[in-house]
Amino acid sequence: GESVGLHLPTLSVQEGDNSIINCAYSNSASDYFIWYKQESGKGPQFIIDIRSNMDKRQGQRVTVLLNKTVKHLSLQIAATQPGDSAVYFCAENSGGSNYKLTFGKGTLLTVNP
Amino acid sequence: NAGVMQNPRHLVRRRGQEARLRCSPMKGHSHVYWYRQLPEEGLKFMVYLQKENIIDESGMPKERFSAEFPKEGPSILRIQQVVRGDSAAYFCASSPRTGTGTDTQYFGPGTRLTVL
C-alpha cells in the first residue's frame, strides 16, 4: 500500500553541525508535506510544510526540500542545538486528501554537546 | 492563544472498562482529527470531525470506538470495553478550514492510555 518511510531511523550529530533528515514517499498523488518534531511525552509540533508546486521552503534554521521526481523529502536543520533532539516525522496528505495525513515512522535525532 | 488541549494526559483503565478522551481545538478551529500512536511508530489517522458531523472515520476500528464533536464542548473519543491492545497515545489535532487545500493540523499533547 501507499506509505511514507524514512531512510534512517536514528541520526546523531554534534552541536553546531547541520542535520539532514530524509523521507521517501510513494504516493505520487500527495501534494502537501509536513515535518513535525516530537519530544518525549509530547505531541507533534509543526515545523515546516511544503506544497508540491514548490521544491524548497525555508524557515528559521530549517529548510525543507521536495524532489517530486524521486518522491523524496528532506529536512535540513542548520546549527543543530541540543534542544533539537527529538523524533522527526514527515507526513503527507494521503494521495491528495485535504485532511488525512499519513506519517512515516520517524527519525530520532540526537545532538551531542 | 491556547493550543489544542487534551485531557486527561494519562488514563489507566482495566480491561472491559470504558475510556473517554477529550479534545478542545484551538480557538477559531472547527475541524478536529484523532490519531493513534503505538510505541516507536508514526501516527495513524483515525477520524475527522467537524461540529456535529463525522466526515471520515475510515481509520477507526468498527467496534468499540466512537467519536463525536458536539455543537458545544470538546470532541470526545470513546473506547468501550478496552483491551490491552488499545494501549497507545491518542492525539487530537485541529485546523481551520480555509478551503484552499490541505490545512495545517496542530496537535495537542496527547492522552496516554494504559490498559491493565
Side-chain angles (χ1 to χ4, degrees):
Chain A
E2 304 290 1
S3 65
V4 176
L6 294 172
H7 293 309
L8 296 173
T10 61
L11 178 64
S12 184
V13 300
Q14 290 298 124
E15 182 177 358
D17 287 352
N18 297 333
S19 303
I20 299 176
I21 302 172
N22 296 302
C23 179
Y25 66 95
S26 57
N27 193 329
S28 56
S30 296
D31 59 9
Y32 176 68
F33 305 88
I34 319 101
W35 282 100
Y36 286 95
K37 171 187 179 184
Q38 186 176 28
E39 296 173 275
S40 181
K42 297 184 178 180
Q45 176 189 351
F46 172 84
I47 301 174
I48 192 168
D49 59 2
I50 189 168
R51 298 191 187 272
S52 59
N53 60 352
M54 303 173 68
D55 52 22
K56 180 179 180 179
R57 191 163 187 224
Q58 288 185 290
Q60 187 176 9
R61 283 201 307 117
V62 294
T63 300
V64 55
L65 299 177
L66 175 62
N67 186 330
K68 294 181 287 292
T69 303
V70 294
K71 300 193 189 71
H72 185 267
L73 191 68
S74 68
L75 176 70
Q76 300 179 4
I77 306 173
T80 314
Q81 302 168 0
D84 295 327
S85 295
V87 176
Y88 289 81
F89 293 97
C90 64
E92 63 178 303
N93 67 335
S94 312
S97 166
N98 61 5
Y99 57 83
K100 185 184 294 185
L101 297 180
T102 297
F103 281 76
K105 285 195 172 182
T107 292
L108 173 61
L109 174 66
T110 301
V111 182
N112 301 309
Chain B
N1 184 17
V4 178
M5 301 180 71
Q6 291 188 247
N7 67 83
R9 295 292 307 278
H10 300 274
L11 183 60
V12 179
R13 285 287 179 264
R14 296 190 182 279
R15 282 179 295 170
Q17 292 184 319
E18 178 179 286
R20 278 180 172 253
L21 289 62
R22 286 176 289 278
C23 168
S24 296
M26 286 178 70
K27 187 175 181 180
H29 288 190
S30 57
H31 300 255
V32 165
Y33 317 81
W34 286 93
Y35 291 81
R36 177 164 64 177
Q37 184 179 35
L38 295 173
E40 297 186 357
E41 291 193 9
L43 282 70
K44 297 283 194 288
F45 170 83
M46 297 181 74
V47 61
Y48 164 42
L49 309 105
Q50 297 174 20
K51 286 282 188 182
E52 300 183 282
N53 281 306
I54 297 173
I55 307 303
D56 183 343
E57 56 183 348
S58 60
M60 241 174 20
K62 300 249 185 305
E63 297 179 351
R64 301 187 298 108
F65 284 71
S66 62
E68 62 177 10
F69 188 17
K71 186 177 181 181
E72 302 291 337
S75 175
I76 306 285
L77 179 67
R78 183 182 177 206
I79 311 173
Q80 295 178 288
Q81 299 174 339
V82 296
V83 300
R84 288 214 174 110
D86 297 333
S87 295
Y90 292 83
F91 291 96
C92 169
S94 73
S95 72
R97 191 74 186 104
T98 61
T100 57
T102 308
D103 295 305
T104 302
Q105 296 178 21
Y106 296 91
F107 283 83
T111 293
R112 277 144 188 87
L113 173 65
T114 301
V115 179
L116 302 177

